[in-house]
Amino acid sequence: MVHNERSPSTQQPSSYPTLDVDKARDKAKAVSSSLYEMIEMRTAKVTEPGPNIATCDEDPERLYKIAHPWSVYGVSEAELKAGFQRLREELLKEGWEIVEYGPSNSKAKSLALTANSKKDRFSVHAVLMVSTPTNPQEKDPLLSVNVVSGCWQAPSGTDLNTQY
């Protein structure tokens, strides 16, 4: 999760940056594109869904965040592992802070990482879903990526209930 200078409960909605929903979507797409470049797997297939919005609990009428989940698949487990390692290395080079790295709590103990951008209001959570000692036969190996923003304030007059 993206961390704020102040805890969310003490932050007033007006202290969140105001940003048009479509511009926030464009930012999320740009972050995802840059992560895809870091992974560097040109022969892999990529899932298609675009970024979506969710309201923020602090003020669901005015505050929203963007989530952009996607995956790369259709290549060998070795290629997925190499792509995950490249992602980790490039995130560090690009100034992201890796806040979690290691086996997930799932039965498969899949390798996962969470990183926060130091430049923008985004975090990424990536999970390498390949065969592991506790899950020796992964049927659908993939690298799952979820880009999530911090909360933004919608411009005055925006109805977040009509956004997707």
Side-chain angles (χ1 to χ4, degrees), residues 9-84:
S9 60
T10 62
Q11 203 165 4
Q12 297 302 310
S14 61
S15 67
Y16 291 91
T18 300
L19 187 65
D20 179 78
V21 173
D22 287 334
K23 286 192 170 90
R25 260 195 210 97
D26 290 345
K27 281 179 168 273
K29 287 178 192 173
V31 169
S32 287
S33 292
S34 118
L35 296 171
Y36 177 73
E37 294 296 318
M38 291 178 192
I39 292 169
E40 202 178 306
M41 284 195 288
R42 304 287 180 260
T43 59
K45 296 176 182 170
V46 183
T47 55
E48 292 299 321
N52 56 62
I53 77 156
T55 56
C56 297
D57 293 341
E58 297 87 341
D59 185 349
E61 296 296 313
R62 295 187 298 169
L63 298 178
Y64 71 95
K65 57 190 168 193
I66 297 284
H68 189 199
W70 52 277
S71 300
V72 291
Y73 64 101
V75 295
S76 71
E77 287 194 0
E79 289 175 276
L80 291 169
K81 289 175 184 176
F84 186 84

Side-chain angles (χ1 to χ4, degrees), residues 2 4 16 56 64-66 121-123 148-152:
V2 174
N4 295 318
Y16 291 91
C56 297
Y64 71 95
K65 57 190 168 193
I66 297 284
R121 302 174 57 78
F122 285 97
S123 291
V148 180
S149 76
C151 293
W152 277 298

Side-chain angles (χ1 to χ4, degrees), residues 58-155:
E58 297 87 341
D59 185 349
E61 296 296 313
R62 295 187 298 169
L63 298 178
Y64 71 95
K65 57 190 168 193
I66 297 284
H68 189 199
W70 52 277
S71 300
V72 291
Y73 64 101
V75 295
S76 71
E77 287 194 0
E79 289 175 276
L80 291 169
K81 289 175 184 176
F84 186 84
Q85 188 58 37
R86 280 190 297 273
L87 176 63
R88 180 177 180 224
E89 291 166 5
E90 291 299 316
L91 284 168
L92 290 169
K93 284 182 196 172
E94 294 292 321
W96 288 66
E97 177 188 7
I98 296 181
V99 293
E100 289 182 347
Y101 178 79
S104 67
N105 292 331
S106 69
K107 182 181 172 194
K109 300 291 181 210
S110 300
L111 191 57
L113 72 76
T114 301
N116 295 331
S117 172
K118 293 181 183 176
K119 299 175 188 167
D120 213 339
R121 302 174 57 78
F122 285 97
S123 291
V124 60
H125 181 70
V127 181
L128 179 63
M129 299 172 128
V130 295
S131 299
T132 64
T134 56
N135 182 34
Q137 287 299 113
E138 177 59 53
K139 292 185 297 209
D140 300 308
L142 58 83
L143 174 53
S144 167
V145 178
N146 191 18
V147 174
V148 180
S149 76
C151 293
W152 277 298
Q153 182 171 293

